[in-house]
Amino acid sequence: MHDILAPRALKTLQRRLLAWFCAHKRDLPWRASRDPYRIWVAEVMLQQTRITAVLPYYYRFLKQFPTVESLARAPQDKVLQLWSGLGYYSRARNLHRAAKEIVARHNGEFPRTIEAARALPGIGRYTAAAVLSIAYDEPLAVLDGNVARVLARLGAVRGDLRAPARWRQLGDLAQDLLAASAPGDWNQALMELGETICTPQIPRCAACPVSRACLARARNLTREIPAPRRKRAPVKMRIAAAILRDPRGRTILVRDPGAHDDVLFSRMWQFPAVEVARHAEAELAEHLHDILKIDAASLRLESLPSARHGVTFRNITLLPFLARVARLPKRPRTRVLPLSNLDRLPVSSATRKIAAATRI
Ligand code: SF4
């Protein structure tokens, strides 16, 4: 597309989009500052997560960790606790590790070059370009799903946008179109356009500031671009979980006990749980014996209402079981706490759903 956009037309496109962004941008907390730390935290939280879901977490996180130094000093459990419910917990772990590196190796300042930024844990091309362009005015274009869709429609680029060659082509296009005088605003303007006007299903072309330059609109291709992505076939899973409860209303949580912790429980504190095939109760009792040395014969597992849980392509049925015990077992890598107060520890939303079954 940039081949057919004369320099003057490119300038007009940039001017119109930047003016639209200036007039219509949403008032978001990370836009109130050029502090790279605050922009970085926002960009990480916004990966695969909607703005409305991010906002309360963002406020809480920044209140607790207002600087990169305060984040670097924090224990990992505290960081995970504040992330708890936001999902994709490797983001929080990497953010924490990167904060430590920034303090240790960069004197507490977010790196100014893309190479140094990308060398930090969890920071890829997109996040590095977003932070450096917005905080430091570096002329680096971003490319995410929203930007790719806008660019593909502007240039009538057909096919699977995530195919490596096409993604590279869109990356080049993004860099060619970048308004070098205001790279941070330009990047945010494209993202904003993709989120609010040039939306996936039915773009609002009548309200679009760059519609005159849009080839997809001119050729009546807005419904066909981007091409739908092939989705991975869903996988069904059943996970049985044991809520052990002692007479004082306390329960026991475990950590890293099995193969499903990473996917479902994000390597955080969780109820003892196992994927089951046919006989959930018996398989769970066996698992409890394996990890907590609980005698299966002495255990009565009471079935609680099941819950649905989706993680990417997995459709999971959670099968909670309550076991009333006189005494909770004492084992390494376990925590005992009141069942009504699980938020004292970092837990995933799957663990919360399991706990909620006891309140029905
Ligand atoms: S004219 Fe329509 S399809 Fe083209 S960029 Fe604007 S909103 Fe998207």
Side-chain angles (χ1 to χ4, degrees):
M1 178 206 175
H2 52 300
D3 294 337
I4 56 165
L5 262 188
R8 234 169 99 185
L10 177 57
K11 281 266 172 266
T12 305
L13 177 95
Q14 291 171 338
R15 191 170 28 79
R16 289 180 67 91
L17 185 57
L18 287 169
W20 170 83
F21 180 64
C22 185
H24 296 278
K25 65 182 168 193
R26 288 166 294 176
D27 186 15
L28 298 170
W30 44 89
R31 288 187 175 155
S33 148
R34 303 275 301 266
D35 176 354
Y37 170 67
R38 287 169 181 254
I39 296 163
W40 171 41
V41 171
E43 288 299 338
V44 173
M45 284 190 171
L46 287 165
Q47 288 162 15
Q48 284 132 353
T49 314
R50 302 179 72 83
I51 288 177
T52 45
V54 162
L55 282 171
Y57 285 88
Y58 184 76
Y59 286 121
R60 264 200 311 271
F61 199 86
L62 267 292
K63 193 167 176 217
Q64 187 74 38
F65 308 124
T67 61
V68 70
E69 288 82 4
S70 55
L71 176 59
R73 276 196 307 270
Q76 192 191 64
D77 265 7
K78 186 70 194 165
V79 178
L80 290 172
Q81 197 182 345
L82 283 167
W83 206 275
S84 182
L86 199 54
Y88 302 101
Y89 296 92
S90 58
R91 294 181 299 175
R93 292 189 178 93
N94 282 332
L95 192 72
H96 189 215
R97 284 169 52 210
K100 289 181 177 185
E101 278 196 30
I102 289 173
V103 170
R105 296 201 195 149
H106 300 280
N107 210 16
E109 188 187 24
F110 195 90
R112 287 181 173 263
T113 66
I114 190 151
E115 295 77 19
R118 291 194 63 179
L120 293 168
I123 298 193
R125 171 81 180 61
Y126 170 83
T127 308
V131 177
L132 295 180
S133 64
I134 299 169
Y136 298 148
D137 276 335
E138 285 297 323
L140 296 163
V142 297
L143 185 65
D144 68 352
N146 281 316
V147 173
R149 182 173 60 257
V150 173
L151 296 181
R153 283 175 173 158
L154 281 172
V157 177
R158 305 188 77 148
D160 178 1
L161 304 188
R162 295 277 177 175
R166 204 158 288 112
W167 193 256
R168 273 196 302 278
Q169 179 193 359
L170 290 167
D172 292 344
L173 178 56
Q175 197 60 43
D176 288 347
L177 296 183
L178 182 78
S181 59
D185 277 358
W186 174 259
N187 282 332
Q188 292 185 85
L190 273 178
M191 293 188 237
E192 189 90 341
L193 190 70
E195 279 165 23
T196 61
I197 303 277
C198 195
T199 49
Q201 306 304 334
I202 306 175
R204 295 193 293 125
C205 301
C208 175
V210 292
S211 60
R212 277 193 230 156
C214 179
L215 293 183
R217 190 183 193 210
R219 296 174 190 171
N220 204 17
L221 292 172
T222 55
R223 301 267 179 125
E224 276 126 83
I225 297 174
R229 293 182 72 192
R230 259 188 262 142
K231 281 195 183 157
R232 191 167 169 179
V235 172
K236 286 187 180 176
M237 288 171 81
R238 297 193 327 141
I239 303 284
I243 304 165
L244 302 179
R245 189 164 72 193
D246 76 1
R248 292 166 61 190
R250 300 181 311 166
T251 192
I252 187 165
L253 297 185
V254 297
R255 201 151 195 184
D256 293 354
H260 303 289
D261 51 326
D262 212 8
V263 171
L264 188 55
F265 302 110
S266 312
R267 290 187 284 134
M268 300 204 285
W269 293 102
Q270 60 166 93
F271 294 107
V274 66
E275 183 178 3
V276 291
R278 289 173 68 90
H279 305 292
E281 200 176 321
E283 290 166 56
L284 180 60
E286 191 179 327
H287 183 64
L288 289 172
H289 180 259
D290 288 348
I291 66 163
L292 294 174
K293 306 296 168 220
I294 294 178
D295 176 14
S298 69
L299 205 61
R300 210 184 128 251
L301 290 168
E302 190 182 315
S303 174
L304 298 174
S306 63
R308 298 240 170 248
H309 190 73
V311 181
T312 59
F313 57 90
R314 299 174 187 84
N315 289 336
I316 300 164
T317 304
L318 299 170
L319 303 167
F321 287 85
L322 179 66
R324 297 167 209 273
V325 294
R327 213 171 300 111
L328 292 165
K330 284 191 180 145
R331 307 292 307 167
R333 294 181 69 73
T334 60
R335 288 277 190 285
V336 169
L337 76 172
L339 185 51
S340 56
N341 207 353
L342 293 188
D343 282 341
R344 276 196 207 164
L345 292 175
V347 295
S348 74
S349 49
T351 296
R352 283 177 225 231
K353 280 187 190 174
I354 293 165
T358 60
R359 296 195 284 274
I360 293 168

